[in-house]
Amino acid sequence: MSPQTESFFEYLRFPSISTDSKYKRDVENCADWLIGRFKGMGLSAEKYPTPKHPVVVAKSEPKKDRPTVLIYGHYDVQPVDPVEEWDTPPFEPTLIDGRVFCRGATDNKGQNFAHILGVEEALKSDGELPVNVIFLLEGEEEIGSPNLTPFLGANRELLAADICAVSDTGMIAPGVPTMTYGLRGIGCLEFVVRGPALDLHSGVYGGAVANPAQVVAKLVASLHDDKGRVQVPGFYDKVIPLEQWERDMWAKLPDGNAATMKETGAPGIWGEEGYTALERRWGRPTAEVNGIGGGYQGEGSKTVIPREAMAKLSFRLVPDQDPQEIISAAAKFIEEQIGDDCRIEMDPGHDGTAYVMDPHSKFGDAAQRALKATFNDEPRLIREGGSIPIIQSIKDILGIDTLMLGLALPDCQIHAPNENFTIENFEAGIRLNQNLLKELAGA
Ligand code: BES
Ligand code: ZN
């Protein structure tokens, strides 16, 4: 195994799950490991505590005559559940057929480590970097970056840069260079419907009191009309429509409807009438139920009216929707449907604003040249449906755009069991980042 892969495996072995406080020490240890790694390659590095997980900042020695690149990534990972569906231990990196299986392999340790190694290689071969580099690695991305936005505000000078680069998005297929110029935003909302004071016999009381599970089902069903449009009043008011050049460009990509079915295993596609699967995923807002529960879930039947039921919703948003406005509008829409036969409790969750940049800006063109040099093919320009809320904050607070040069493949299983990253992309990522530094220096 190459020393680079060995070092990558060390990084992957930290179970740095940000959402579960049981892993707090592991998140911290992972940040310490990064500090050691950065210092070992000659960068200055510091760990900044926050109310939850630390931020790691590392810098090359600044030179006056060159632009500064801020490289953002996250070292926290998603939980591993359902753990029984993993074929290998989730935190023991395992190399099978050219793929490293491990939680965090793609999202995001593999991708940010390719940036780190790209810088290390450039330093080794040239003794210096063509640009100034600032690494910003956080431990809270998977929980909505609650402490990074204030950190940006409090550290404008420390993080001052000309452009930001992030590898935390996808490639449309292996070997196909892909630049992501937009991401959806997000707004989360949970609610619990409460009815009787205790679970009831459904024969004795059924038909005479509201059943919270049925109420939740009705509320959830009310979110969409039969054309797949979200029915929350005002939901589409601020939506910027897709531009014709984007629709034309995406129509030239391999059939997105078929790809969506193949990647997901769903027997058909579904969604807002008038849009292709790629347009629905990348450029249109949605309402999703991420979880729903209530009543008897065990084997056989149990004739009961549950005393409560719940649902967890998230809305994926596009420019210029305001996440807080959408969460409030959705809460109001749901609450107004509740009569006096039950009660509802709303719990708004985290949010993030959508982001779109100009892929043909000076730095955008430089990133495209780096992609072309690495993969020997014309870059495809896409938007994506996932969210990285801090990217818009980087724009708002630090005043710079972000180049998204992701390396996730459609079958890398991020957030799911058997997450994996191909060695091919790991190595391509290292070269891509070396090329990026050179191209940005000349931009
Ligand atoms: N890397 C993903 C986001 C992503 C995935 C962007 C695929 C583009 C393509 C990131 O780690 C993530 O999972 N973000 C969360 C954000 C949320 C927790 C605020 C998401 O999108 O659900
Ligand atoms: Zn993620």
Side-chain angles (χ1 to χ4, degrees):
M1 199 184 297
S2 74
Q4 292 186 326
T5 311
E6 238 166 77
S7 183
F8 179 33
F9 280 20
E10 272 180 36
Y11 187 19
L12 285 173
R13 283 193 187 100
F14 294 97
S16 47
I17 303 172
S18 49
T19 195
D20 186 340
S21 53
K22 273 208 303 288
Y23 296 92
K24 189 163 175 35
R25 193 67 242 166
D26 300 290
V27 178
E28 192 81 31
N29 290 343
C30 188
D32 289 331
W33 183 87
L34 279 168
I35 298 280
R37 192 70 183 65
F38 282 126
K39 288 189 172 158
M41 58 194 255
L43 304 192
S44 67
E46 202 160 331
K47 187 174 78 170
Y48 295 85
T50 77
K52 205 160 207 156
H53 302 306
V55 176
V56 170
V57 177
K59 288 185 164 205
S60 63
E61 195 192 318
K63 305 251 166 66
K64 279 218 164 60
D65 59 340
R66 48 203 84 178
T68 301
V69 185
L70 179 69
I71 300 175
Y72 163 82
H74 61 96
Y75 65 89
D76 66 321
V77 300
Q78 286 273 329
V80 299
D81 320 65
V83 68
E84 64 282 1
E85 286 181 28
W86 284 78
D87 297 328
T88 58
F91 288 105
E92 185 44 53
T94 311
L95 186 58
I96 303 171
D97 290 339
R99 286 171 188 265
V100 178
F101 288 83
C102 193
R103 170 59 84 230
T106 287
D107 186 9
N108 171 250
K109 288 174 175 170
Q111 297 189 72
N112 64 56
F113 203 53
H115 276 286
I116 296 173
L117 293 176
V119 167
E120 185 175 53
E121 286 299 300
L123 278 169
K124 267 193 209 149
S125 63
D126 306 331
E128 60 166 3
L129 299 173
V131 292
N132 299 317
V133 166
I134 306 174
F135 280 99
L136 171 66
L137 295 177
E138 70 158 319
E140 300 183 347
E141 195 272 347
E142 299 292 7
I143 52 171
S145 305
N147 292 302
L148 192 59
T149 302
F151 184 84
L152 297 184
N155 292 281
R156 283 190 174 85
E157 239 163 79
L158 176 76
L159 302 172
D162 299 285
I163 186 73
C164 177
V166 175
S167 295
D168 195 20
T169 50
M171 284 168 69
I172 59 168
V176 180
T178 307
M179 172 153 146
T180 296
Y181 64 92
L183 295 169
R184 289 196 289 193
I186 190 168
C188 297
L189 177 65
E190 235 178 282
F191 61 86
V192 186
V193 172
R194 298 205 167 84
L198 68 170
D199 283 5
L200 302 176
H201 188 293
S202 66
V204 176
Y205 295 105
V209 296
N211 179 325
Q214 289 167 214
V215 174
V216 167
K218 198 166 159 233
L219 292 172
V220 157
S222 75
L223 287 169
H224 297 92
D225 67 12
D226 56 11
K227 292 189 162 62
R229 280 181 64 90
V230 177
Q231 305 225 72
V232 173
F235 188 75
Y236 294 97
D237 284 2
K238 293 191 175 168
V239 169
I240 298 188
L242 278 163
E243 301 211 14
Q244 197 54 45
W245 65 269
E246 308 183 272
R247 302 186 80 173
D248 293 345
M249 182 170 68
W250 297 347
K252 292 192 193 104
L253 297 175
D255 184 1
N257 292 16
T260 301
M261 284 168 64
K262 183 161 171 263
E263 286 162 26
T264 62
I269 61 158
W270 174 89
E272 190 185 359
E273 209 172 271
Y275 295 93
T276 66
L278 294 183
E279 290 167 350
R280 290 171 184 166
R281 288 166 52 187
W282 298 348
R284 295 296 299 169
T286 64
E288 299 289 337
V289 181
N290 300 128
I292 183 164
Y296 181 61
Q297 314 271 326
E299 194 180 328
S301 69
K302 179 174 187 243
T303 48
V304 70
I305 296 174
R307 56 190 283 272
E308 63 179 35
M310 55 66 72
K312 288 176 190 275
L313 310 180
S314 63
F315 299 86
R316 292 288 167 166
L317 310 174
V318 300
D320 275 341
Q321 286 177 300
D322 178 308
Q324 283 304 325
E325 278 176 24
I326 295 293
I327 293 175
S328 306
K332 183 161 176 277
F333 172 69
I334 289 165
E335 259 167 350
E336 281 175 0
Q337 298 181 56
I338 295 289
D340 47 18
D341 51 11
C342 60
R343 309 256 179 278
I344 189 162
E345 201 176 293
M346 291 285 176
D347 186 10
H350 59 72
D351 66 43
T353 312
Y355 177 74
V356 174
M357 56 92 67
D358 173 13
H360 301 296
S361 64
K362 166 177 87 159
F363 290 124
D365 284 340
Q368 290 193 52
R369 287 196 297 277
L371 280 166
K372 189 170 177 184
T374 309
F375 293 97
N376 209 5
D377 192 0
E378 283 306 322
R380 314 300 200 273
L381 305 182
I382 68 168
R383 279 157 71 171
E384 285 196 82
S387 308
I388 311 175
I390 203 64
I391 306 262
Q392 183 60 41
S393 305
I394 287 174
K395 174 86 184 176
D396 293 339
I397 300 169
L398 304 180
I400 55 175
D401 271 309
T402 295
L403 306 167
M404 291 179 276
L405 307 173
L407 301 164
L409 292 174
D411 61 353
C412 64
Q413 309 202 180
I414 56 173
H415 292 205
N418 303 318
E419 176 176 353
N420 64 86
F421 194 41
T422 61
I423 290 287
E424 185 186 338
N425 270 19
F426 181 52
E427 289 173 351
I430 299 169
R431 292 196 309 276
L432 171 63
N433 287 301
Q434 285 172 265
N435 289 331
L436 181 67
L437 302 181
K438 280 189 207 134
E439 293 296 344
L440 291 177

